[in-house]
Amino acid sequence: QVHLVESGGGLVQPGGSLRLACAASGFALPLDYYSIGWFRQAPGKEREGLSYISSSEDRTYYADSVKGRFTISRDMAKNTVYLQMNTLKPEDTAIYYCAASDATTPPLEYNNFWSYWGQGTHVTVSA
C-alpha cells in the first residue's frame, strides 16, 4: 500500500526557514520513477501547487510564489523528497501536502495527474 507521510512543519518566525520531508513507501517502482510535488492550502483558500521534481532527470519546477525561496530535492537512499523553505512569510502559513504522479511533467493545477497524496503538515509563520 502506497504511503506518503509529510513531516517538518511547525511554527516559525517571518524570515525563518523550515525543511519539510515527504517520506514514501509502498510504491511499485523506485521513487525516481515518479514525479513528486508539493502543494499547500491556506484557510479559506484553494489548494496551490508549489513545486515538483520530475521523474525525468530530476528536473524541478516552481510556482512564482515560491521561486527563489523554496528548493525541492530528492534523496533516493531515504526514499524522501524535501522542500527547503527559506525567507518564510506569514502568507506561507498553510497545510503543506506532497503528492506523487506517474507523469513526467504533471501540471500542478490539475488534480487528476496526482495519484497519491499525503495527509499534510501544518506550517505557521508568525511573530
Side-chain angles (χ1 to χ4, degrees):
Q1 188 174 2
V2 170
H3 286 288
L4 293 171
V5 179
E6 302 93 338
S7 62
L11 173 64
V12 63
Q13 292 186 343
S17 298
L18 281 175
R19 188 178 75 159
L20 305 183
C22 173
S25 62
F27 284 88
L29 298 172
L31 191 60
D32 55 359
Y33 276 72
Y34 302 90
S35 296
I36 306 297
W38 281 97
F39 301 76
R40 70 185 177 190
Q41 188 162 18
K45 295 188 177 181
E46 292 187 354
R47 185 164 58 197
E48 176 188 12
L50 304 177
S51 176
Y52 70 79
I53 185 163
S54 171
S55 57
S56 173
E57 300 177 351
D58 272 1
R59 293 176 185 173
T60 57
Y61 168 86
Y62 298 93
D64 288 343
S65 59
V66 302
K67 195 176 295 181
R69 299 190 299 127
F70 291 10
T71 303
I72 192 170
S73 61
R74 191 195 316 253
D75 185 335
M76 289 299 296
K78 296 183 178 180
N79 233 30
T80 298
V81 171
Y82 298 98
L83 186 69
Q84 176 67 42
M85 307 189 297
N86 298 328
T87 319
L88 284 162
K89 307 173 183 179
E91 52 264 42
D92 293 318
T93 296
I95 301 174
Y96 284 70
Y97 302 89
C98 64
S101 171
D102 296 325
T104 302
T105 53
L108 289 169
E109 63 269 31
Y110 296 119
N111 288 342
N112 58 349
F113 279 87
W114 299 92
S115 303
Y116 309 101
W117 290 84
Q119 294 300 305
T121 185
H122 290 253
V123 171
T124 302
V125 184
S126 175

